[in-house]
Amino acid sequence: VKTSGSRAFVQGSGFAQKLSVPQFRAACKNGGKLNGLMNLYVHALLTQISQSAVCNGFHPIEARLARWLLMTHDRMQADEFQITQSFLSKMVGVRREAVNKAVGALQNRELIAYRRGNLTVKDRKGLENASCDCYALIKKEGERY
């Protein structure tokens, strides 16, 4: 395959490298280190995708939002990050109005602070308690690898 229908985007600042398709294929050939890392990543990603799909179908919006914020908090390794309610609505799979209500509920419980695209995690343990069990399952699976 020479192209992909998928798009990638950067959620936060950090370091990244870019490889061309031929460079990537060469690095993955013959079961090298990158090939092994990619297999582990794909397994963890499939776990995250499948569990998130189940979560989005069965759990309340507030718990789903807490799960997603915790996953983002883990990746950003910072208590503050920029994120819009419009983007959150896409990630949680609901209309922006529903995200607005869930953000308000988490703010009222003093778990997060949100203002004009800036979100601060104030009480991580409380956010973990507000999340469904899906967060712990996804995190545990990711840590296994």
Side-chain angles (χ1 to χ4, degrees), residues 37-133:
L37 287 172
M38 290 305 298
N39 286 336
L40 295 173
Y41 171 75
V42 167
H43 177 78
L45 183 61
L46 287 174
T47 299
Q48 176 186 327
I49 291 168
S50 59
Q51 192 63 43
S52 294
V54 170
C55 182
N56 287 348
F58 293 100
H59 295 140
I61 295 166
E62 190 176 318
R64 291 164 29 197
L65 177 61
R67 171 190 50 85
W68 195 89
L69 291 174
L70 288 164
M71 291 169 54
T72 300
H73 189 245
D74 292 345
R75 286 169 182 78
M76 299 294 283
Q77 297 181 346
D79 290 336
E80 295 181 38
F81 41 92
Q82 294 181 334
I83 195 138
T84 65
Q85 287 190 10
S86 176
F87 183 78
L88 285 172
S89 72
K90 291 174 187 164
M91 295 297 100
V92 179
V94 295
R95 295 180 62 200
R96 188 176 174 277
E97 295 81 7
V99 165
N100 186 26
K101 186 175 179 182
V103 164
L106 294 176
Q107 281 191 111
N108 288 340
R109 293 168 60 186
E110 298 185 1
L111 305 178
I112 64 168
Y114 183 83
R115 189 165 199 276
R116 296 187 172 252
N118 293 304
L119 190 137
T120 303
V121 174
K122 293 174 68 175
D123 179 358
R124 179 173 172 101
K125 190 67 176 160
L127 202 55
E128 288 175 5
N129 291 334
S131 175
C132 52
D133 292 338

